[in-house]
Amino acid sequence: MTELSHLDGEGRARMVDVSAKADTTRIAVAGGELVTTPEVIALVRADDMPKADVLSTARIAGISGAKKTSELIPLCHQLALSSVKVEFGFTESSITIEATAKTKGPTGVEMEALTAVAVAGLTLHDMVKAVDPAATLDGVRLLTKEGGKRGHWRRDENRSQAAQPTEPQREVRPGSATVLVASTGGARGTRPDTTGPTIAAWLESRGHTVRGPLVYADADIAAGLADALADSPALVITTGGTGASPTDATPEATLAVLDRELPGIAEEMRRRGTEVTPHASLSRGVAGVCDRTLIVNLPGSPGGVEDGLAVLDPVLDHLLAQIAGGGAHDE
């Protein structure tokens, strides 16, 4: 695309005619963050802001914003949205926002996803401004989209252009690792994190530079995974959210971003765990590669983490080297 689609031959604004385009399923994911203070983050996590229900209010606002996109942005088409999801996560200095919009039709839903993030972020600002009037809504951007003749597109954070599907899309930082914890109680501060620090210490002992543990509620684990991948680590290890509970969603969130699965790793972890307890067979954890980042799901129990790390120990360095494009293939 080398021309602006919303200008006619004389440079005047126009609405694009999409009547000749085929109806396909269209999905777009956008992200952003409200940069604020640790005090605000603690208050929001504890649901202790002067304006209550901060995240719930921002979520509803984001969904409503997506539905009104054509009213807010003049040249957008009116779309029958199939679904809109708005999810939040936390870092030390920000509340992350991720919105997914879906429709079936002749044009995409990128603007709906972006509008959902922007409106949710502005609502967060409104909710926290009494405590932090200097909060900043930052990094509102499209992350992925699919559908239509161009198929799947994923943001290249380094080049701001789409790479070809067969090319590496991110410059992975060798030796870097992120630990992600799925725990609703941990995110609320009502339950101690008993597994994230163990994984971080194990990685540091092997010479990795570790970010985290990042702690996200089970319902927000997709946003947590996006956060974990944001700075292109070589490795992401998650813990928790792999069971059969209705709230356990880590495997689904992981599968949504994987380019290739590595089923042998997850199978060996389950096999090793069942030597200790039959409950290990209930883990639905997966492992695989997203671009050139290795992602491995571990259970949320200390014993499950111990078994998982024991499985990774003899193969991790070799596997990371292979994913990076090196390493011997005959070992």
Side-chain angles (χ1 to χ4, degrees), residues 90-115:
F90 297 96
T91 71
E92 293 180 355
S93 60
S94 68
I95 303 171
T96 62
I97 312 160
E98 183 174 287
T100 303
K102 183 176 181 180
T103 190
K104 185 172 184 180
T107 190
V109 285
E110 299 95 316
M111 296 311 303
E112 284 71 16
L114 288 163
T115 301

Side-chain angles (χ1 to χ4, degrees), residues 44 76 88 93 108 125 153 184 251 259 315 322 329:
V44 172
C76 281
F88 302 99
S93 60
H125 194 293
W153 178 92
T184 301
D259 301 312
V315 301
Q322 285 198 333
H329 290 265

Side-chain angles (χ1 to χ4, degrees), residues 10 27 69 91 94 102 138 160 181 195 202 204 208 247 281:
E10 298 180 359
I27 303 172
T69 298
T91 71
S94 68
K102 183 176 181 180
D138 196 11
S160 73
V181 180
T195 55
W202 182 81
E204 289 171 349
H208 292 272
T247 60
S281 64

